Amino acid sequence: MAWTGDPIWLADVLRAEGLAVIEHAGWRGRGHGDFRDLRGVMCHHTAGGGPNDWRVVQDGRPGLPGPLAQLVLERDGTYRVIAAGVAWHAGAGSHPGWPTDNANWHVIGIEGVNNGVGQVWPAAQMNAYRRGCAAILRRLGGPASDCVGHKEWSSEGKIDPNFDMVSFRAEVARLIAGSPPAPVENEIDAEALVARAWIGARLTPGELPTADGVGRFARFANGTIYWHPYVRNGEATAVPAHLMKTYAQYGFESGFLGYPTLRHTVVPGVGDIQAFEGGTLYRRYGYDGFPVRGVIGKRWAAEGYETGLLGWPISDEYDNGTGGLAQDFENGRLQWDPSGAVKEINRGSDAM
């Protein structure tokens, strides 16, 4: 291999590949000692899947001090450079050309943020994973065969990463060779294609950041498409203009509703329905829309949602004057009591 010692060039090599990089303070001096000769890259998933997985990788966990890898790959394709020194990530195992049970001193570890039990790998993250591995191996002068999954190395039954390493390595080999890259799927563009029958012309050039600085959105003639790396498994979701009017009243993604989690449902001739992180929006054609959420929402769901006896919501939750909350529906009302009970009040009757 072409390098012995700590890979202090990690951030530069990744940036040169056109990848987004965050350098953590002190990363060049962080590690459990200095590398010997570098021989490859080991791929992992974090098994958490959330925005704070990097903290465990950097700081460690009870019984295993950090760093636990040199790099963390976020779901939006951003690399966090955690350490230049040795990290405890490999465990016991073997691979041709690598020291048995001793890869930590010779192999760079990458932890991709994913829960490992069904969470989708966003296209942007997988693209960055391949390109990052290729860039490092190109710097080392090594082949794609030295891009190894933890599950392939381990003699301890490790299962990460939970994607196919054979096809992954084939793409890494193509990238090392400098072949034209496969096009990267933009999630908002992909959702626009799915919604092309109704969403209309694009109004936003490119994408705009949401208020949290993490998500993105783009406006179209008949709706808006939202994307966040930790919502809906990193896939974008379109919200029709009919519901956007109500969504705006509740603060868009910054309000309690948060980001959309499902595509909207059209009830022909009646209205639109769409689920969000903090509740579900219902809007009948020709009327205002309202969210249904919380304990009242659960009781309404048990009653059959909008197709049940209560029908569609015709108000938001409001103070019922006795310390609780109430919400009106077409054919009745639900009230929440601080004790936790929900009382169903139909026209002309009172019933629990």
Side-chain angles (χ1 to χ4, degrees):
M1 282 296 180
W3 186 267
T4 297
D6 292 345
I8 56 175
W9 38 259
L10 272 176
D12 293 337
V13 163
L14 293 172
R15 283 200 183 95
E17 190 71 15
L19 298 165
V21 175
I22 297 172
E23 297 183 58
H24 283 226
W27 72 269
R28 289 180 178 84
R30 186 175 291 119
H32 301 291
D34 295 331
F35 273 100
R36 297 165 192 171
D37 60 311
L38 282 168
R39 305 192 188 187
V41 180
M42 187 173 292
C43 300
H44 305 258
H45 63 236
T46 59
N52 293 313
D53 287 12
W54 66 266
R55 296 183 184 277
V56 176
V57 177
Q58 177 176 286
D59 302 329
R61 58 180 185 267
L64 190 63
L68 306 184
Q70 285 74 31
L71 299 169
V72 171
L73 177 57
E74 295 287 357
R75 292 179 62 74
D76 66 353
T78 299
Y79 275 96
R80 293 181 179 273
V81 186
I82 301 292
V86 170
W88 303 146
H89 67 95
S94 63
H95 174 72
W98 293 6
T100 300
D101 298 339
N102 196 26
N104 286 330
W105 299 88
H106 301 272
V107 178
I108 292 169
I110 304 176
E111 288 279 359
V113 176
N114 189 281
N115 66 15
V117 288
Q119 190 176 33
V120 171
W121 290 86
Q125 187 182 26
M126 287 303 296
N127 176 65
Y129 216 150
R130 299 182 194 102
R131 291 169 60 197
C133 290
I136 292 169
L137 289 169
R138 197 183 300 120
R139 176 63 179 81
L140 295 177
S145 58
D146 280 332
C147 173
V148 177
H150 194 199
K151 61 187 177 185
E152 297 175 305
W153 155 267
S154 178
S155 59
E156 301 173 303
K158 300 299 183 181
I159 62 170
D160 59 312
N162 66 336
F163 52 74
D164 177 57
M165 285 301 302
V166 175
S167 58
F168 183 89
R169 255 191 305 275
E171 190 68 9
V172 170
R174 183 188 60 74
L175 289 165
I176 291 173
S179 301
V184 181
E185 181 179 55
N186 177 283
E187 296 293 342
I188 287 181
D189 290 347
E191 181 69 356
L193 186 62
V194 172
R196 64 188 180 278
W198 62 268
I199 202 163
R202 190 176 188 130
L203 304 180
T204 303
E207 300 168 2
L208 298 173
T210 51
D212 59 13
V214 179
R216 298 290 186 270
F217 71 97
R219 297 188 183 96
F220 293 75
N222 300 316
T224 301
I225 297 179
Y226 285 87
W227 172 85
H228 191 284
Y230 298 109
V231 179
R232 202 176 164 229
N233 288 319
E235 296 182 11
T237 311
V239 182
H242 184 243
L243 288 175
M244 282 297 297
K245 293 178 181 178
T246 305
Y247 192 36
Q249 294 171 10
Y250 291 96
F252 298 107
E253 79 286 347
S254 297
F256 70 84
L257 284 167
Y259 287 85
T261 57
L262 291 173
R263 292 183 177 130
H264 75 290
T265 297
V266 176
V267 181
V270 182
D272 296 324
I273 304 168
Q274 188 156 19
F276 294 78
E277 293 177 287
T280 302
L281 279 184
Y282 288 80
R283 189 177 183 193
R284 295 176 296 163
Y285 300 131
Y287 296 87
D288 291 335
F290 299 100
V292 183
R293 61 197 185 275
V295 177
I296 287 177
K298 290 180 181 178
R299 174 61 183 268
W300 184 59
E303 296 290 329
Y305 297 100
E306 77 281 357
T307 61
L309 293 177
L310 287 167
W312 286 61
I314 58 173
S315 81
D316 192 1
E317 293 180 351
Y318 57 88
D319 187 335
N320 68 355
T322 62
L325 294 171
Q327 185 165 11
D328 295 329
F329 297 83
E330 291 178 288
N331 303 313
R333 177 185 306 148
L334 290 176
Q335 295 203 58
W336 170 80
D337 183 84
S339 68
V342 174
K343 177 184 289 187
E344 180 182 338
I345 301 178
N346 293 315
R347 291 173 181 166
S349 67
D350 254 6
M352 286 298 289

